[in-house]
Amino acid sequence: MERLKNCRLCPRECGIDRFSSLGFCKATPSPKIARAALHHWEEPCISGTKGSGTVFFSGCNLKCVYCQNFEISQNGFGKEVSVDRLSEIFEELFEKGAHNINLVSPTPYVPQIVDAIKKVRDTVKIPFIYNTGGYESPQTLESLHGVIDIFLTDIKYKDASLAQKYSKAPDYFDISLSAAKKMIDICGNPQFDENGILKSGVIIRHLVLPFCRKDSIEILETLASELSPDSFILSLMSQFTPDHDILANYPELCRKVTSFEYNSVVDAAISLGFKNGYMQEKSSAKKSYTPPFDLSGV
Ligand code: SF4
């Protein structure tokens, strides 16, 4: 917990005392949670038939202007819990039959999460997933060695001006690519159980944004040239949904991705050899994929 007194858990390196101030992420000293429940809208190898035991943390170190979870990533909705309660939540999700424990936006709470997982590692015998926007520091990732089984990470932008405009992180691409490489080092190549559920490995997600298909294709080209195709699973997402007031300041984001935009990115992925990943149906661009943040299970 000493790390919270001079917080440098992520590349923002705010250096603040989390017990007396809020950093860029606005995370509280204790883990703040908005919902803990079975979730059925992740990739099929994560949600399976029984659902992913998903814990939505409040606060975020990226705060993308178009975030679907705006209520928690930027407005701070949630309830603070102790490390003991967090470990109980993991046990409760396990008892409900979850295929895995899925930690969404965990970065600001890594020390507490590691402590909570260590308390239940012998009883909660399912994979733990670190579900992140990809803006991660190598030291923080190193502390997850032997604790986290699966990384679900984003690579959102290659272009620094896009990363600055939408997430105030001009260095995002280099950091998220290095983070993905580190995650692959930690978890190894993807491993599945007999039912096709992911046991360990890395999924790299990319959400196609309006007017950004060329940036998307450049990201895919870099992934194809720098990473072994067997070392991760690619998940291309089309679900961008403009649905909150701040987008009035970003008029170019006030529409969904067109079929032409999404299909051109999918075509590029296929021609680059990404044949075993996930390509989302265009019809999945619905707000209903965002769960209610109602403190369920907290
Ligand atoms: S986790 Fe939050 S407070 Fe800590 S360095 Fe990152 S943004 Fe700043």
Side-chain angles (χ1 to χ4, degrees):
M1 297 306 165
E2 280 300 305
R3 296 181 70 188
L4 299 184
K5 292 184 178 166
N6 175 17
C7 189
R8 297 178 188 278
L9 283 171
C10 85
R12 301 275 179 203
E13 298 199 340
C14 298
I16 51 125
D17 182 347
R18 293 263 301 274
F19 295 94
S20 56
S21 349
L22 296 176
F24 180 92
C25 61
K26 295 190 181 167
T28 45
S30 301
K32 193 190 257 190
I33 301 174
R35 179 179 174 86
L38 296 177
H39 189 59
H40 296 274
W41 303 113
E42 306 286 19
E43 286 77 359
C45 68
I46 299 294
S47 292
T49 53
K50 298 183 286 187
S52 178
T54 306
V55 183
F56 289 91
F57 291 95
S58 179
C60 180
N61 69 335
L62 274 176
K63 297 197 288 190
C64 308
V65 299
Y66 50 82
C67 180
Q68 279 190 304
N69 297 345
F70 201 82
E71 197 180 342
I72 58 172
S73 63
Q74 312 198 29
N75 289 348
F77 176 78
K79 177 182 171 189
E80 287 187 63
V81 300
S82 65
V83 168
D84 283 345
R85 176 62 195 139
L86 182 57
S87 58
E88 282 173 11
I89 289 170
F90 297 158
E91 289 175 323
E92 289 164 8
L93 291 168
F94 174 65
E95 284 160 12
K96 286 178 182 168
H99 287 294
N100 41 57
I101 302 295
N102 185 353
L103 308 160
V104 180
S105 294
T107 314
Y109 305 112
V110 161
Q112 302 96 319
I113 287 170
V114 169
D115 284 353
I117 292 176
K118 285 180 175 170
K119 282 175 183 282
V120 296
R121 246 315 182 184
D122 292 338
T123 51
V124 179
K125 295 181 183 297
I126 49 178
F128 281 83
I129 303 177
Y130 191 86
N131 186 338
T132 169
Y135 200 54
E136 297 288 340
S137 74
Q139 297 83 357
T140 297
L141 292 177
E142 191 57 43
S143 71
L144 299 171
H145 217 296
V147 177
I148 290 295
D149 306 286
I150 296 169
F151 287 94
L152 246 174
T153 189
D154 289 334
I155 295 193
K156 295 172 183 287
Y157 330 94
K158 184 161 190 189
D159 182 87
S161 61
L162 286 176
Q164 167 62 23
K165 187 176 185 185
Y166 298 145
S167 300
K168 294 190 176 61
D171 53 359
Y172 175 83
F173 180 70
D174 287 344
I175 284 179
S176 62
L177 182 61
S178 297
K181 291 176 180 175
K182 179 89 180 163
M183 293 169 190
I184 291 168
D185 284 347
I186 291 173
C187 289
N189 288 4
Q191 305 289 328
F192 298 86
D193 72 10
E194 60 282 4
N195 297 313
I197 303 297
L198 191 63
K199 291 195 300 185
S200 62
V202 176
I203 296 179
I204 297 179
R205 286 174 162 173
H206 175 69
L207 174 67
V208 182
L209 295 172
F211 300 105
C212 294
R213 70 183 184 90
K214 289 182 180 168
D215 196 63
S216 298
I217 292 169
E218 285 186 24
I219 289 170
L220 296 179
E221 289 169 346
T222 307
L223 293 180
S225 68
E226 297 214 16
L227 300 177
S228 160
D230 298 330
S231 66
F232 70 100
I233 300 164
L234 176 69
S235 179
L236 274 182
M237 301 188 295
S238 63
Q239 70 191 46
F240 175 76
T241 313
D243 67 351
H244 55 80
D245 295 343
I246 196 164
L247 292 183
N249 297 322
Y250 303 88
E252 73 280 13
L253 294 182
C254 291
R255 68 159 171 83
K256 292 182 179 176
V257 169
T258 65
S259 295
F260 167 73
E261 287 172 322
Y262 186 65
N263 291 340
S264 68
V265 178
V266 170
D267 289 347
I270 292 169
S271 67
L272 286 163
F274 292 111
K275 295 193 171 67
N276 298 322
Y278 296 104
M279 317 283 169
Q280 212 172 29
E281 295 291 326
K282 266 284 277 111
S283 59
S284 62
K286 292 180 188 155
K287 194 168 186 287
S288 58
Y289 278 69
T290 307
F293 296 119
D294 54 7
L295 301 181
S296 289
V298 180

